[in-house]
Amino acid sequence: MAKPIQVLFVSSEVEPFAKTGGLADVSAALVLTIYNLGLEVRIMLPRYGSIKNTPSRLHDMIRLQGMEVPVGDKIYKANVKSSFMFGTFTKVQVYLLDNAELFGRPGLYINPDTKRPYPDNDVRFIFFCRGVLEMLKKMGWQPDIIHCNDWHTGLLPAYLKTLYKNDKFYKKTKSVFTIHNMAYQGEFPRSTFAKTLLPPETEPLIMHHDKVNFLKAGLMYADVLTAVSEKYAEEIQTTEDYGCGLQEVVKKRSRHLHGIINGIDVEKWNPATDELIPQKYDIKTLDEKVENKIALLQKMKLPYKPKTPLISIVSRLADQKGFDLIGEALDKMMKMDIQFVVLGTGEKKYHQLLEKAAKKYPTKMAVALRFDEVLAHWIEAGSDMFLMPSRYEPCGLNQLYSMKYGTIPIVRATGGLDETVEQVHASKGTGTGFKFGPYTSAAMLEAIRKAVDVFADQETWRKIQRNAMLKDYSWEVSAKKYIKLYQKLLHV
Ligand code: ADP
């Protein structure tokens, strides 16, 4: 039997170890699925200080000790710790790159006290990329593919093509770089270039607008690029709004760019088996979903009104997610017969906006401004509608979770939201959600109004819920597309 393809998946976030957003869910679920499909895949992330607090299965065994990783004129000592990530029948090897000075901190990228990025994020992620390559050599494990994700890992393909180009160990190794979000680029002053220790001729390739740009390094040097939906793969080649200044770079590499939609972990996000929600249900017992609504409203201290739709949001509170539209539309939304729940954390201005609004409309609106995994499940199960008015959305996971839970998404037609949500036609009883095009509060309000109107006709609403619940966004289909890409890259 042929040897299985060996893959090292490198990501700055992996559930259940470290998470600020969808990247963590995607990393874990994709890797577990690829493993189930027969590849030898292992995963690597930094050993953040916060990980020790995670009630996960962290074994924390030391695998390598005292490895040396050069960054600028300094040599950092690194340990590699080893653990496992578990699926139902699966156990994937996890490596954690450990240096207490750089990563033994509570935040992943941002100092929770100052709410600012750590000033040495350049050093931290140079160390990470270089450390991964040094570790593999020390360990003698030679993956066929190193699959990198987002700016934190952008320098790794550049290292493979430069400093490690003539290294026999990496002769056959190919790199894949997945774009989860173009807006986060890892930009640092020109002085960072010297710290990378990359050869001088690479400088123009990784500089952008006079800044060292880690994302650009990944885009320029990886053998293959992927983006997390087909729509987003197209969008990021178009305008500044989508390409965030790197649209021409992406366009130049379009022949090597593939859009592959994310899936969801249906073991974790499934209303029929979800241990976190008050009342399990499925498509046949959809009437029982209301028990979750009653419980959620009680938890959020809102009155239960059977005929009033509950609209919810679970999100990072960032500009990307459309909170400026919500700010503009809030008073008009509150005039409708709806209730509104928001779970999120992020930018201070949105914390203030939402807190103020919840005080103003105490019987209609409630907010939880924190990160709360359990409440996120309660919200998916207990809400009637889920609002995602994103300015842009590479893939989006919550609309996929929502559909699975019969919670109807109201989304802006962009990126993965446009690709995965099918517009409702109430008279035909088709579609899975409500989409609006222009990025305006008026267009968003119009979509909310339509959803509220259809909700009043419970028979049609049930049809829409069933359509949504029947959609298959499990990882298997997408994971197979990644495997096809690996095979093509390796000519197997
Ligand atoms: P992004 O990666 O841009 O943040 P996604 O929709 O792809 O957006 O993924 C967001 C993930 O993070 C989802 O799993 C969502 O449930 C989760 N999430 C975001 N904010 C919170 C929060 N405050 N509490 C719990 N989960 C959250």
Side-chain angles (χ1 to χ4, degrees):
M1 213 172 70
K3 187 168 97 31
I5 296 176
Q6 295 182 313
V7 184
L8 179 71
F9 195 90
V10 186
S11 175
S12 65
E13 299 188 23
V14 181
E15 261 277 286
F17 299 94
K19 169 167 173 172
T20 68
L23 176 61
D25 304 51
V26 171
S27 300
L30 172 58
V31 164
L32 286 168
T33 314
I34 288 178
Y35 182 93
N36 282 337
L37 291 168
L39 273 62
E40 187 186 338
V41 54
R42 305 180 191 182
I43 193 163
M44 175 125 197
L45 76 157
R47 176 39 165 123
Y48 302 104
S50 56
I51 290 181
K52 62 175 175 291
N53 303 323
T54 311
S56 70
R57 306 86 164 177
L58 184 59
H59 289 223
D60 229 6
M61 248 168 48
I62 291 193
R63 177 68 197 255
L64 278 179
Q65 223 166 356
M67 193 170 76
E68 297 193 334
V69 181
V71 179
D73 52 13
K74 212 173 150 180
I75 304 279
Y76 287 87
K77 291 270 191 230
N79 294 334
V80 176
K81 295 189 167 173
S82 126
S83 183
F84 292 104
M85 190 171 70
F86 292 88
T88 309
F89 305 107
T90 325
K91 188 167 130 181
V92 166
Q93 179 78 64
V94 179
Y95 298 125
L96 301 112
L97 189 68
D98 185 27
N99 173 291
E101 180 191 338
L102 296 177
F103 283 110
R105 309 175 187 180
L108 269 55
Y109 323 117
I110 291 183
N111 182 336
D113 297 329
T114 62
K115 304 262 187 292
R116 287 175 195 279
Y118 289 117
D120 58 349
N121 273 345
D122 56 347
V123 173
R124 297 171 80 221
F125 289 99
I126 293 169
F127 165 84
F128 181 53
C129 291
R130 221 33 229 270
V132 169
L133 294 172
E134 287 300 312
M135 171 198 87
L136 291 172
K137 286 182 67 169
K138 283 262 167 339
M139 228 157 49
W141 187 58
Q142 231 166 344
D144 305 297
I145 303 276
I146 301 184
H147 189 150
C148 303
N149 296 276
D150 274 354
W151 73 263
H152 327 90
T153 59
L155 288 176
L156 206 152
Y159 284 133
L160 273 178
K161 286 274 189 328
T162 55
L163 298 185
Y164 294 83
K165 188 173 160 207
N166 298 318
D167 192 320
K168 276 202 194 105
F169 190 84
Y170 287 113
K171 215 165 163 233
K172 292 190 187 142
T173 306
K174 302 282 185 202
S175 59
V176 174
F177 184 75
T178 296
I179 306 157
H180 298 260
N181 196 329
M182 287 291 290
Y184 298 87
Q185 303 190 348
E187 291 173 287
F188 301 99
R190 187 176 278 275
S191 55
T192 291
F193 185 76
K195 300 179 194 166
T196 67
L197 300 175
L198 283 164
E201 64 274 16
T202 59
E203 190 170 356
L205 298 181
I206 71 164
M207 293 293 293
H208 187 66
H209 294 326
D210 214 34
K211 294 243 168 80
V212 173
N213 188 309
F214 286 11
L215 179 70
K216 188 179 172 198
L219 299 178
M220 294 297 290
Y221 283 102
D223 292 308
V224 161
L225 305 177
T226 74
V228 291
S229 66
E230 283 178 33
K231 189 84 199 281
Y232 193 58
E234 282 166 25
E235 287 172 345
I236 55 177
Q237 302 180 51
T238 57
T239 58
E240 169 86 30
D241 273 356
Y242 286 112
C244 306
L246 292 176
Q247 56 278 9
E248 292 305 321
V249 177
V250 181
K251 212 164 155 183
K252 274 204 196 103
R253 296 229 53 207
S254 70
R255 231 164 38 85
H256 299 105
L257 170 65
H258 305 262
I260 303 179
I261 193 82
N262 286 334
I264 57 173
D265 182 345
V266 284
E267 284 174 21
K268 239 180 107 189
W269 293 95
N270 180 351
T273 54
D274 191 336
E275 295 296 340
L276 299 177
I277 59 176
Q279 174 67 51
K280 294 183 190 124
Y281 60 96
D282 61 22
I283 199 158
K284 292 199 197 86
T285 56
L286 200 43
D287 285 342
E288 290 171 27
K289 178 172 162 62
V290 71
E291 297 303 324
N292 294 302
K293 179 171 175 178
I294 293 169
L296 173 62
L297 286 168
Q298 197 176 22
K299 195 185 195 71
M300 302 305 291
K301 303 196 171 55
L302 291 176
Y304 169 58
K305 298 184 185 167
K307 293 202 168 144
T308 303
L310 172 60
I311 306 180
S312 296
I313 293 183
V314 178
S315 178
R316 285 184 293 116
L317 303 183
D319 289 337
Q320 172 199 341
K321 301 293 181 179
F323 285 97
D324 50 344
L325 296 191
I326 290 166
E328 261 173 57
L330 240 166
D331 287 326
K332 286 191 179 134
M333 276 171 74
M334 291 295 116
K335 288 209 174 85
M336 295 184 206
D337 182 25
I338 61 166
Q339 288 173 308
F340 189 35
V341 163
V342 181
L343 167 63
T345 156
E347 286 177 37
K348 206 167 160 190
K349 61 181 175 188
Y350 296 129
H351 280 235
Q352 287 165 346
L353 173 102
L354 291 166
E355 255 164 1
K356 208 169 133 200
K359 277 205 190 101
K360 190 168 168 193
Y361 301 104
T363 60
K364 301 198 73 165
M365 179 171 170
V367 296
L369 302 179
R370 58 178 190 269
F371 197 93
D372 187 336
E373 189 79 27
V374 176
L375 187 56
H377 282 250
W378 276 50
I379 287 176
E380 288 295 3
S383 307
D384 298 302
M385 301 164 193
F386 197 96
L387 181 60
M388 294 179 81
S390 303
R391 187 181 282 275
Y392 67 91
E393 194 60 74
C395 176
L397 291 174
N398 277 308
Q399 84 280 13
L400 305 178
Y401 301 152
S402 298
M403 288 192 276
K404 191 89 197 147
Y405 282 71
T407 299
I408 300 307
I410 303 170
V411 303
R412 168 136 190 274
T414 180
L417 297 175
D418 197 16
E419 193 168 314
T420 55
V421 176
E422 186 196 331
Q423 186 72 277
V424 164
H425 291 287
S427 57
K428 295 188 222 152
T430 59
T432 63
F434 297 83
K435 300 202 267 194
F436 62 97
Y439 188 75
T440 61
S441 57
M444 181 184 79
L445 281 165
E446 187 53 33
I448 296 174
R449 267 190 210 106
K450 274 190 199 145
V452 172
D453 282 351
V454 178
F455 183 81
D457 169 8
Q458 274 294 302
E459 206 178 308
T460 306
W461 191 258
R462 277 281 183 271
K463 274 191 203 154
I464 309 299
Q465 284 181 300
R466 282 195 284 269
N467 296 344
M469 290 174 89
L470 286 171
K471 283 270 172 192
D472 180 9
Y473 284 109
S474 56
W475 260 109
E476 192 145 321
V477 179
S478 300
K480 282 183 178 157
K481 291 187 184 166
Y482 279 106
I483 293 174
K484 271 232 159 72
L485 264 189
Y486 298 159
Q487 288 167 337
K488 211 170 130 197
L489 201 52
L490 299 169
H491 307 292
V492 293

